[in-house]
Amino acid sequence: MSENQDLQKSFLETVKFDDKGLVPAIVQDFETGKVLMMAWMNRQSLEMTLEKKKACYWSRSRQKLWLKGESSGNMQNVHDILIDCDGDTLLLKVSQTGGACHMGYQSCFYRKTKDDLSMEICDTLMFNPEDVYGKQS
Amino acid sequence: MSENQDLQKSFLETVKFDDKGLVPAIVQDFETGKVLMMAWMNRQSLEMTLEKKKACYWSRSRQKLWLKGESSGNMQNVHDILIDCDGDTLLLKVSQTGGACHMGYQSCFYRKTKDDLSMEICDTLMFNPEDVYGKQS
């Protein structure tokens, strides 16, 4: 048995962070199974998530801890955290307040590829981003 | 509107590969919504996936194209490909033959964190890995 599959190890020992100290976290609605987003965690944001049961990420663009919903109010209550066979990807099952996407959709995956490789909207708008984040100049 | 949200652009123009030329692809069962795995694609594997409608990835460990199921027979027929708001993560909706995980489980996310931060198995074993991949020495 590879060390990554050892059930005797604790969860935190099993997580493999990449060369930037990050691990991707897929976020799925606890009830509907809809995939809402993917974000990145460093060890500190993962520990905060475990402690508070609210999803907390590492913002790669802003280079800071990011408690999901701190600006928008659209928090994610974390029910379960799963880890994959290689230990290098997490799956969070959450209850999402409002929409997950900063574009106002329920899911960040709101565009689907069509046969001609154009895209179409395939999700529901939950809020107007300007109402939540203010007008972008 | 940011260039990443432009619906006039084609899907392939919208995908943002990272500094290694890769984009993460979340894989979800088309019917049940179960998240099966996450893998990485380069442009060539994405184009093969679009062409064949069978999931094809870039194996980071083996540094080669990886048609999912080429060893195990556990192919993934691709129904839909979604892209997130930033254009840097894909979501594949697939019909999975057998199990997705090389450990024999239906999903690579077969372990769940418990309150004491130990882990427990939370998925169904679909096959014996030794029967499919041979005995690992």
Side-chain angles (χ1 to χ4, degrees):
Chain A
M1 179 185 287
S2 143
E3 57 166 346
N4 293 325
Q5 279 92 38
D6 187 353
L7 268 185
Q8 300 309 310
K9 285 172 69 177
S10 79
F11 168 65
L12 279 171
E13 285 174 312
T14 305
V15 180
K16 279 195 341 202
F17 296 95
D18 69 9
D19 52 3
K20 292 172 180 139
L22 301 175
V23 63
I26 301 163
V27 185
Q28 184 179 33
D29 187 282
F30 177 69
E31 286 190 346
T32 66
K34 186 166 184 165
V35 174
L36 300 173
M37 57 184 279
M38 196 189 84
W40 295 79
M41 290 182 163
N42 62 4
R43 190 177 174 96
Q44 191 186 359
S45 64
L46 177 55
E47 286 174 347
M48 276 185 63
T49 301
L50 287 164
E51 187 193 324
K52 295 177 188 292
K53 310 271 188 200
K54 309 265 185 207
C56 181
Y57 305 105
W58 177 254
S59 168
R60 296 179 304 167
S61 56
R62 290 176 285 152
Q63 288 285 303
K64 56 177 276 205
L65 283 176
W66 160 37
L67 177 66
K68 173 69 182 166
E70 64 190 344
S71 305
S72 63
N74 294 335
M75 313 286 292
Q76 292 172 339
N77 286 310
V78 178
H79 293 263
D80 281 318
I81 302 181
L82 286 72
I83 184 166
D84 80 344
C85 48
D86 296 324
D88 62 4
T89 308
L90 304 179
L91 173 60
L92 274 62
K93 300 202 176 184
V94 308
S95 297
Q96 171 74 59
T97 306
C101 183
H102 75 292
M103 293 293 290
Y105 291 95
Q106 189 176 25
S107 166
C108 293
F109 298 94
Y110 62 85
R111 291 172 300 179
K112 191 165 95 166
T113 313
K114 296 201 286 184
D115 281 342
D116 64 1
L117 297 191
S118 66
M119 298 179 294
E120 64 184 350
I121 300 288
C122 60
D123 197 25
T124 312
L125 207 55
M126 303 295 283
F127 60 87
N128 180 345
E130 287 187 4
D131 294 343
V132 171
Y133 301 102
K135 205 171 174 81
Q136 304 294 309
S137 59
Chain B
M1 179 185 287
S2 143
E3 57 166 345
N4 293 324
Q5 278 91 39
D6 187 353
L7 268 185
Q8 301 309 310
K9 285 172 69 177
S10 79
F11 168 66
L12 279 171
E13 285 174 312
T14 306
V15 180
K16 279 195 340 202
F17 296 94
D18 69 9
D19 52 4
K20 292 172 181 141
L22 301 175
V23 64
I26 301 163
V27 186
Q28 184 180 33
D29 187 283
F30 177 69
E31 286 191 345
T32 66
K34 186 167 185 165
V35 174
L36 300 173
M37 57 184 278
M38 195 189 85
W40 295 79
M41 290 182 163
N42 62 5
R43 191 178 173 95
Q44 191 186 359
S45 63
L46 177 55
E47 285 174 348
M48 276 185 63
T49 301
L50 287 164
E51 187 193 324
K52 295 177 188 291
K53 310 271 189 200
K54 310 264 184 208
C56 181
Y57 306 104
W58 177 255
S59 168
R60 295 179 304 167
S61 56
R62 290 177 284 152
Q63 289 284 304
K64 56 177 275 203
L65 283 177
W66 161 37
L67 177 66
K68 174 69 182 166
E70 64 190 344
S71 306
S72 63
N74 293 335
M75 312 287 291
Q76 293 172 339
N77 286 310
V78 178
H79 293 263
D80 282 317
I81 302 182
L82 286 73
I83 184 166
D84 79 344
C85 47
D86 296 324
D88 63 3
T89 308
L90 304 179
L91 173 60
L92 274 62
K93 300 202 177 185
V94 309
S95 297
Q96 171 74 59
T97 306
C101 182
H102 75 292
M103 293 293 290
Y105 291 95
Q106 189 176 25
S107 166
C108 293
F109 299 94
Y110 62 85
R111 291 172 299 179
K112 191 165 95 166
T113 313
K114 295 201 286 185
D115 281 342
D116 64 1
L117 297 191
S118 66
M119 297 179 294
E120 64 183 351
I121 300 287
C122 60
D123 198 24
T124 312
L125 207 55
M126 303 295 283
F127 61 86
N128 180 346
E130 286 187 5
D131 295 343
V132 171
Y133 301 102
K135 205 171 174 81
Q136 304 294 309
S137 58

